[in-house]
Amino acid sequence: MADSTLQFDAIRDAIAAFARGDFLIVLDSPLRENEGDLIISAAHLTPSKASFLIHHSSGYLCAALPSRLADALDLPPMVPASANQDKNRTAYTVTVDAAEGVTTGISATDRALTCRLLGDKSSSAATFRRPGHVVPLRAVEGGVRARQGHTEAAVEFSRLAGLEPAVGIIAEVVETPTDVEGKGGEMTGEHMMRGPALVQFGRKYGILVVTIEDLKKYVEEKEGKL
C-alpha cells in the first residue's frame, strides 16, 4: 500500500511529462523493494540527463523493454528463468553497449547513446555489442497489471505516452551524498532514498512523483483488469 500521508502526482500528468522527455520518480510498494526509481524514456536520454541520472542514483542504468523487443534484439536472459535467484524475479538480459559511436561504453555520453538506440525502432541486434554497460530488463506481458515492478512501470509509461518502441530507462534513487569533513573522503548517503525524501527530492528538481499502485489503478480503469 502507498503511504496515504504522502502527496503524489496524477498519473495522467505523469504520462504527459514522460512524453515530453521529463523524468518521473516512481515508488513501489513498502511490501516489495520500498524504493523509488528515476524513470525516463530511452528516446529522451541525452548525455546531460544521463549524467543527472547517474549522479542521483546507484549508477546502475537498466533499460526496461517488452520481451518481444528483447527477442528481436537478441537479448537473451542473463541466466535461465529457473536459475534466477533475484527475490523479485527481475528478468535481466545480457548487457550491451552501442556497437559504434562509443569508447569504453561507461560514460554518460556512451550510455545515453546505447539507451537511445534501444529505444530506436530502426535498431537491430547488430546495433549492439555484448557484454556492455547498460542492463536491459524484460517486462512481463500485461505490464503493471501482471507484475508491479519498476520494469513494467517504465514500459507502461512509455506505451501510454505513445512511444514506440516502449523502452524506459530506470535507476534507483539513493540518498544525496554529503562530505564528512576531516574523514579522508568519507561521505554520508549510503542508503536508498525512500518515502518522504523521494517526494522532497522530486519537488526540489521539478520531477513528478507517482506510485506503481496508482499506475495500475489508472490502467485498469482505462483498459480493464486482466
Side-chain angles (χ1 to χ4, degrees):
M1 295 290 290
D3 187 338
S4 61
T5 65
L6 301 180
Q7 184 63 46
F8 298 111
D9 295 294
I11 296 299
R12 64 179 179 277
D13 294 336
I15 294 169
F18 195 85
R20 292 194 301 268
D22 294 348
F23 282 105
L24 299 178
I25 297 173
V26 181
L27 283 70
D28 71 351
S29 169
L31 301 178
R32 199 170 179 276
E33 291 179 324
N34 191 25
E35 295 174 359
D37 282 22
L38 275 164
I39 298 182
I40 190 171
S41 70
H44 289 106
L45 191 68
T46 63
S48 62
K49 289 180 177 179
S51 181
F52 178 89
L53 183 56
I54 292 164
H55 178 74
H56 291 289
S57 75
S58 63
Y60 193 67
L61 303 193
C62 297
L65 69 171
S67 286
R68 63 184 180 278
L69 177 59
D71 289 337
L73 295 178
D74 190 22
L75 300 175
M78 188 179 289
V79 297
S82 60
N84 190 335
Q85 297 178 350
D86 181 83
K87 68 176 183 178
N88 291 313
R89 309 289 290 178
T90 304
Y92 298 91
T93 81
V94 296
T95 57
V96 294
D97 287 333
E100 299 179 352
V102 300
T103 54
T104 63
I106 192 62
S107 70
T109 296
D110 286 356
R111 283 192 277 177
L113 174 59
T114 300
C115 290
R116 290 198 305 277
L117 288 172
L118 285 168
D120 187 333
K121 61 184 178 183
S122 67
S123 292
S124 66
T127 305
F128 307 96
R129 67 189 187 196
R130 305 156 182 78
H133 298 85
V134 173
V135 189
L137 307 175
R138 288 173 172 252
V140 302
E141 293 295 327
V144 294
R145 288 175 288 180
R147 179 178 183 272
Q148 287 77 63
H150 287 106
T151 302
E152 287 69 31
V155 171
E156 204 81 85
F157 273 115
S158 299
R159 180 182 70 84
L160 293 168
L163 301 173
E164 180 60 36
V167 181
I169 307 305
I170 66 178
E172 301 94 339
V173 187
V174 297
E175 293 177 344
T176 302
T178 303
D179 291 325
V180 180
E181 294 183 9
K183 292 294 184 179
E186 290 188 22
M187 304 182 79
T188 62
E190 300 92 346
H191 305 292
M192 309 310 294
M193 192 179 290
R194 293 186 169 88
L198 285 163
V199 175
Q200 184 178 17
F201 178 89
R203 301 300 176 251
K204 177 179 179 179
Y205 290 104
I207 300 172
L208 300 187
V209 184
V210 298
T211 69
I212 294 177
E213 182 180 6
D214 285 346
L215 176 60
K216 179 175 181 282
K217 290 178 181 177
Y218 178 91
V219 176
E220 287 179 340
E221 289 172 359
K222 298 293 184 181
E223 301 176 10
K225 297 184 178 181
L226 292 181

